[in-house]
Amino acid sequence: MDMCYAIPGKVLDIKDKIVTVDYFGERKRARNEFHDLAPGDYIYAQGGFVIEKVLPDKALGVLESWQEVFSNLREADLRLAERPKNMYEIANSVRQRNTGNACCVHGIVEFSNHCVQDCLYCGIRKSNSSVKRYRMSADEIVSACDYAVNELNFKALVLQSGEDPYYTGEMLCDIIRKVRQVCATLLVVSVGERGVELYKRLYEAGSRGALLRFETANPGLYGKYRPGKILEDRKRLIKSLKELGYLVMTGFLVGLPGQTDEDIINDIDLTGKLGGEIFSFGPFLPHPGTPLNGAARPKLERALETIARARISYPDSKILVTSALETLDKDGARRGLLAGANSLMINVTPDRYQRLYEIYPGRAGTGIMVSKRIESAVALLKSLGRAPSDLGL
Ligand code: SAH
C-alpha cells in the first residue's frame, strides 16, 4: 500500500451542510462547506470535514486497491480487541466498538520557535537563551504544506508555532488562503493565545481546526507553570474557538510535577467539557534549559492510563498519540494505539528547522527522513489493523 492517509467515501445523503458518507459499508458523517456535492459523488474527508471531491474513476481505482486490505485490517483490529483483560485492553475494545478501525493521520508544520510566553515546562520559552530561533517565511510555509499534501498525501495539516506576534493576523490569513489554494487539506492552527478576533479571521481565511491545550485543569498549577497567565482565560478562548465553528483539539500535560491522580481525572473531564473533538494528552518531558530541568519523567503507564480513562469516559472521541509519548518510550505509539488512541501526527517540518523546535529534548523522529517516518507509521497502523479512513463527525 502506498503512502495514503485517507480512503475515499461515497456520498449517500446530504442535509444542509452534513453529508453521510459510505466507507466499505460503514456510514460516517462529515461537514461540507466548500464543495458542490450530490449523492453518488466520491470525496475525501478528514477530521469530519469534506476536503476534496474525487473523480469517480480515480476513487474507484483507490477503493479497489483497498477493498481486500480493508477487510483484512478490520478483522485484525477486531481480533486484537477481543476478550479484554486489563484496563488498556478494555479501552481498546471500547475504541473498536465505537470508532471502528479508522485512524486519522495528520501532518504538522512547526513554522516558528519564537515565543513571548515563559511556560516553565517548555523548551522554547522566552527565557531559554540557548535556543537558536527561527521563523519560516510565508513562502516556506506554503511550500512545506504543498509538499506535505501534494507529494506526501496528507489530508490534514497542523500549523504550529510558539506564541509569536511577529506573524500578524493579516500574515497568517494570507498564509492560510495560499495554502488552501494549493492544497486540499483540513488546516488546523496552533498558535497559542491570540485574540478571538484573530482566530475569527483565520477561520474566515479557511482554517477549520484549532489546537490549543489548556495544559492543566488545576488553576494553582496553571498559574505556577504559566507565569502571569490565568486558566480561566485559556478556557474562555477554547470555548470561543468552538463557538466560531472550529474543530477543537485540546488536552493537557501528563506528569507535571505536583499533578495528582485527581487532577488527571479533572483534566480528562475538562477536555470533554470544553467540547474537544480531538484529545491531545502528552507526557511532560523535562527540558534541560528550563526551570523544571530536574523533574522526573512520568512513567509510560501513567500516560497510557490517561488515554485509557479518556477513551472509557468518552467512547467515541478521537484521541491522539503524541510524539511526546513516542519520545517517552520507543513503543509508546503502539501502546497508546492499543490503550484507546486512534489518531497520529507526523512531523513534516523541513529538516533544517525540525531539530530547532525543541519543546522537549530528544524528540522521537527528529533527524529521520520523513519518508522513513511515514513508512514506519503506516507499517504500525497496518500491524494493528487500523485504516486511514475518516473518523467522521
Ligand atoms: N504555543 C502554542 C503551541 C505550541 S506548544 C500554544 O501555546 O498552544 C505545543 C504543546 O507542547 C503545548 O501545548 C504543551 O502542552 C506541549 N509542551 C510544552 N513543553 C513540553 C514538555 N516539556 N514536554 C512535553 N510537552 C510539552
Side-chain angles (χ1 to χ4, degrees):
M1 188 57 37
D2 73 320
M3 296 174 200
C4 167
Y5 316 111
I7 296 176
K10 187 178 186 174
V11 175
L12 297 175
D13 172 64
I14 305 172
K15 276 205 183 70
D16 297 326
K17 284 181 177 173
I18 306 294
V19 297
T20 306
V21 189
D22 171 88
Y23 302 93
F24 296 116
E26 282 174 16
R27 288 173 181 207
K28 304 236 166 86
R29 289 177 313 137
R31 264 162 75 178
N32 175 44
E33 293 175 50
F34 301 112
H35 305 276
D36 183 19
L37 294 179
D41 283 343
Y42 288 92
I43 54 130
Y44 278 120
Q46 193 65 243
F49 283 88
V50 175
I51 60 154
E52 189 178 10
K53 192 166 157 175
V54 196
L55 290 173
D57 281 355
K58 198 177 157 204
L60 289 169
V62 180
L63 284 172
E64 202 181 299
S65 73
W66 268 103
Q67 179 98 51
E68 204 187 316
V69 180
F70 189 81
S71 71
N72 291 342
L73 290 174
R74 193 147 55 183
E75 262 171 49
D77 178 43
L78 200 60
R79 266 196 313 275
L80 284 168
E82 264 168 7
R83 294 201 275 157
K85 290 181 289 294
N86 55 38
M87 182 181 179
Y88 305 147
E89 292 179 4
I90 291 170
N92 186 46
S93 131
V94 171
R95 190 266 319 145
Q96 191 279 325
R97 263 180 283 133
N98 288 278
T99 71
N101 70 337
C103 189
C104 299
V105 183
H106 301 172
I108 179 165
V109 177
E110 298 147 339
F111 64 92
S112 160
N113 68 353
H114 286 260
C115 192
V116 295
Q117 300 299 346
D118 220 10
C119 309
L120 266 58
Y121 43 77
C122 185
I124 62 169
R125 67 200 297 266
K126 159 177 89 175
S127 303
N128 185 3
S129 54
S130 64
V131 180
K132 187 176 162 215
R133 306 278 172 176
Y134 73 91
R135 285 189 178 110
M136 286 169 63
S137 69
D139 283 349
E140 282 179 301
I141 300 171
V142 175
S143 68
C145 293
D146 184 11
Y147 182 72
V149 172
N150 297 316
E151 299 291 328
L152 301 174
N153 283 319
F154 282 91
K155 305 282 181 204
L157 286 182
V158 179
L159 288 179
Q160 190 177 82
S161 67
E163 211 170 292
D164 186 5
Y166 164 86
Y167 297 89
T168 59
E170 199 174 317
M171 283 164 78
L172 292 172
C173 286
D174 196 43
I175 291 165
I176 290 167
R177 276 191 296 266
K178 284 190 178 135
V179 172
R180 299 259 315 140
Q181 262 164 29
V182 292
C183 303
T185 181
L186 168 67
L187 209 53
V188 178
V189 287
S190 180
V191 293
E193 259 175 81
R194 312 286 300 259
V196 181
E197 270 311 303
L198 183 136
Y199 274 104
K200 185 161 184 271
R201 290 173 62 197
L202 304 186
Y203 188 91
E204 283 159 6
S207 61
R208 282 295 175 272
L211 165 57
L212 190 73
R213 290 179 173 173
F214 54 84
E215 315 294 3
T216 166
N218 178 325
L221 289 180
Y222 188 93
K224 180 170 166 194
Y225 293 133
R226 306 200 73 219
K229 310 295 283 181
I230 298 167
L231 177 60
E232 274 312 309
D233 292 342
R234 188 95 169 173
K235 281 162 61 174
R236 197 172 319 113
L237 177 58
I238 297 170
K239 282 184 202 152
S240 309
L241 296 175
K242 181 90 186 164
E243 280 158 20
L244 286 173
Y246 277 107
L247 166 95
V248 170
M249 304 169 74
T250 191
F252 55 91
L253 285 160
V254 178
L256 279 172
Q259 184 188 44
T260 63
D261 287 346
E262 172 96 31
D263 284 328
I264 292 190
I265 290 169
N266 292 334
D267 288 334
I268 294 172
D269 199 47
L270 185 57
T271 312
K273 283 216 177 88
L274 289 171
E277 278 157 295
I278 301 190
F279 293 8
S280 168
F281 321 128
F284 157 65
L285 302 170
H287 188 291
T290 66
L292 297 182
N293 174 25
R297 290 183 161 205
K299 289 212 160 38
L300 175 66
E301 285 67 28
R302 200 163 175 78
L304 296 176
E305 273 163 26
T306 306
I307 291 175
R309 272 182 201 280
R311 168 61 61 202
I312 293 165
S313 302
Y314 297 95
D316 55 11
S317 56
K318 305 170 178 87
I319 303 179
L320 259 175
V321 158
T322 57
S323 42
L325 184 64
E326 297 177 58
T327 306
L328 180 65
D329 190 294
K330 277 200 301 296
D331 207 21
R334 196 184 65 87
R335 301 277 305 270
L337 287 166
L338 287 175
N342 56 356
S343 290
L344 271 187
M345 245 187 226
I346 296 181
N347 197 322
V348 290
T349 305
D351 289 339
R352 63 187 176 287
Y353 298 125
Q354 214 172 96
R355 61 189 177 80
L356 301 176
Y357 197 80
E358 201 186 67
I359 289 179
Y360 51 83
R363 198 156 50 135
T366 306
I368 300 172
M369 259 182 29
V370 67
S371 57
K372 280 272 170 256
R373 285 183 284 116
I374 291 171
E375 220 172 83
S376 48
V378 169
L380 172 65
L381 293 179
K382 212 170 148 186
S383 74
L384 298 178
R386 306 296 171 87
S389 60
D390 187 40
L391 281 155
L393 279 179

